[in-house]
Amino acid sequence: MERSLRAARVATYVYFVLCGTLMGTWVVHIPAIEERVGISHSALGGLLVLLGLGAFTGMHLAGRLADRLGARVVIPAGGVLCGAALVLPGLARDPWTLAGALLVFGFCNGGLDVAMNAHAVHVEKAYGRPVMSGFHATFSVGGVLAALFAAGAAGAGLDPAEGMAAMGAVGIVIALTSARALLPASPTTADTDSAQEPEAAPADARHGITGRVRLLAVLALMVMLCEGAANDWSALHLRDVLGASVSTAAFAYGTFAAAMTVGRLLADRAASRFGSMAILRYGAATAAVGITLVALVPWMWTAFAGWALFGLGLSGTVPQLFSAAGHADPAAAGANVSRVAGLGYLGMLVGPAVIGWLSHLVALNHAFILLTLLCAITAVAAGTLRTGTDRTDRSEMAHSGH
């Protein structure tokens, strides 16, 4: 069992890298696609709503299918569909075809994202210690790989559709070859559910848990809205506000993603030592400082430093929220994670649209002040994670891991 669990953990890392690479490949090609289609920032923001709506729909469907069919079916299927759909935005030639492409790609990416996160929660429970941030770190690795690939492709003069098609094909192969190592079934299906059903929690306890999960979902919405804004507007910020070349602008997102990776590699140990509340509070505060630098200081290297601080601060916030939701009620861990992840990823994919609409009213960099406010609110509300149940769960996980 220990060997198969290690293999499942490695496979989960692979799918997180895959998902991050596929999404990152779209992100770093946004400037070229926006220019070719001939749309403004505000029009692009409106089209990105469809990406979010497609993802939100795909998340809910994938969550239900994962409970019924298992991770070995849903996760690789999501990877194949997402890889195939990646080329569609690259083929778009007008706003209508881009709208359809983003709707389909969002649906496929959202399904893969929620399925692999639900599987990651089960792997973390099986390990008995914090490992969620490590999974999210490898998602950020995918973003770095996508930025490097796009910079090289742009320097070689490749058409976006060709590069996105190549990356999608590689993704399909990886999705199919990694499936066997996944856990065959969720620990909370069938037998476990039927055994726990007669001893359901009292109504007031259930309402308390539901209220806390809803608050966690709102916090996830805010921090992932910030992450989504960085995903889709960081490269455009350097190109349009600071006048960077396309290849240089691609490294704005790469800097953000690299900082996210470093932070998430350290977040599991930090959470065990200082607690999830500290990770959320001080991480959100650091992110607020970083994005404020991006918004107000018109220097290229300061912008890179700001995007790095923004990524470092946000890096540990989402894994802590997902983990807290999963441990709020062991009998309903999957459902609670789906609620938090669903609203959070809707924020991540709708966030770029919000910034796009604001850029129609103010300069793009000044629109980022909204992200400063959201990070500040998150830092103030971080006390949500300081509960007796959360501390007990963290302590037990830390002790069992040594």
Side-chain angles (χ1 to χ4, degrees):
M1 177 61 183
E2 183 178 350
R3 186 174 182 180
S4 63
L5 183 57
R6 278 200 304 268
R9 185 181 181 185
V10 171
T12 308
Y13 282 136
V14 170
Y15 282 107
F16 269 78
V17 173
L18 173 62
C19 190
T21 304
L22 294 177
M23 176 57 77
T25 301
W26 147 249
V27 166
V28 297
H29 281 96
I30 286 176
I33 293 174
E34 181 190 49
E35 183 177 357
R36 187 185 62 201
V37 174
I39 55 177
S40 64
H41 290 343
S42 57
L44 175 63
L47 290 176
L48 291 174
V49 174
L50 295 175
L51 185 70
L53 290 176
F56 189 74
T57 304
M59 288 169 190
H60 281 275
L61 179 61
R64 294 173 183 174
L65 290 176
D67 289 338
R68 294 182 180 180
L69 304 178
R72 284 185 177 175
V73 174
V74 179
I75 295 179
V80 169
L81 292 175
C82 193
L86 177 63
V87 70
L88 298 179
L91 295 174
R93 291 296 184 271
D94 57 66
W96 290 106
T97 54
L98 181 58
L102 293 180
L103 184 65
V104 174
F105 179 65
F107 178 87
C108 298
N109 184 265
L112 172 61
D113 218 324
V114 157
M116 71 184 189
N117 268 286
H119 184 262
V121 170
H122 297 316
V123 172
E124 184 180 56
K125 286 184 177 181
Y127 262 85
R129 59 184 171 89
V131 296
M132 180 65 80
S133 291
F135 291 134
H136 284 252
T138 55
F139 181 91
S140 300
V141 168
V144 175
L145 293 176
L148 293 173
F149 170 79
L158 292 181
D159 181 82
E162 295 173 345
M164 296 171 85
M167 183 61 73
V170 172
I172 290 173
V173 174
I174 293 173
L176 292 173
T177 56
S178 303
R180 291 185 60 186
L182 296 172
L183 295 177
S186 163
T188 59
T189 57
D191 297 340
T192 304
D193 288 344
S194 62
Q196 291 177 344
E197 188 174 354
E199 299 179 1
D204 56 345
R206 290 199 305 272
H207 288 317
I209 292 171
T210 301
R212 182 172 183 241
V213 169
R214 287 174 179 169
L215 184 52
L216 293 172
V218 171
L219 293 176
L221 171 68
M222 291 193 290
V223 297
M224 294 182 74
L225 187 152
C226 293
E227 184 177 344
N231 289 346
D232 285 8
W233 293 108
S234 55
L236 287 169
H237 166 254
L238 257 72
R239 191 195 71 175
D240 294 353
V241 177
L242 301 182
S245 66
V246 173
S247 57
T248 300
F251 281 100
Y253 174 69
T255 300
F256 170 81
M260 291 275 283
T261 303
V262 172
R264 285 174 172 171
L265 288 173
L266 302 174
D268 285 329
R269 292 183 179 180
S272 297
R273 182 173 181 180
F274 301 108
S276 57
M277 186 201 71
I279 301 299
L280 183 61
R281 173 163 292 165
Y282 295 110
T286 300
V289 173
I291 197 62
T292 301
L293 289 175
V294 171
L296 301 181
V297 182
W299 300 329
M300 184 80 69
W301 291 109
T302 304
F304 278 115
W307 286 118
L309 281 176
F310 194 50
L312 184 65
L314 291 178
S315 62
T317 58
V318 172
Q320 303 312 311
L321 293 170
F322 281 17
S323 184
H327 294 286
D329 182 5
N336 288 335
V337 170
S338 296
R339 293 186 184 102
V340 174
L343 193 59
Y345 279 101
L346 181 62
M348 187 174 76
L349 296 168
V350 171
V354 175
I355 297 299
W357 291 330
L358 286 176
S359 71
H360 191 63
L361 303 175
V362 299
L364 176 60
N365 56 313
H366 294 157
F368 293 151
I369 294 296
L370 172 64
L371 309 183
T372 300
L373 296 176
L374 293 178
C375 289
I377 293 171
T378 301
V380 172
T384 302
L385 297 188
R386 184 194 284 173
T387 66
T389 301
D390 185 61
R391 287 197 302 268
T392 301
D393 288 344
R394 286 292 183 188
S395 177
E396 290 177 353
M397 293 175 75
H399 286 307
S400 63
H402 294 289

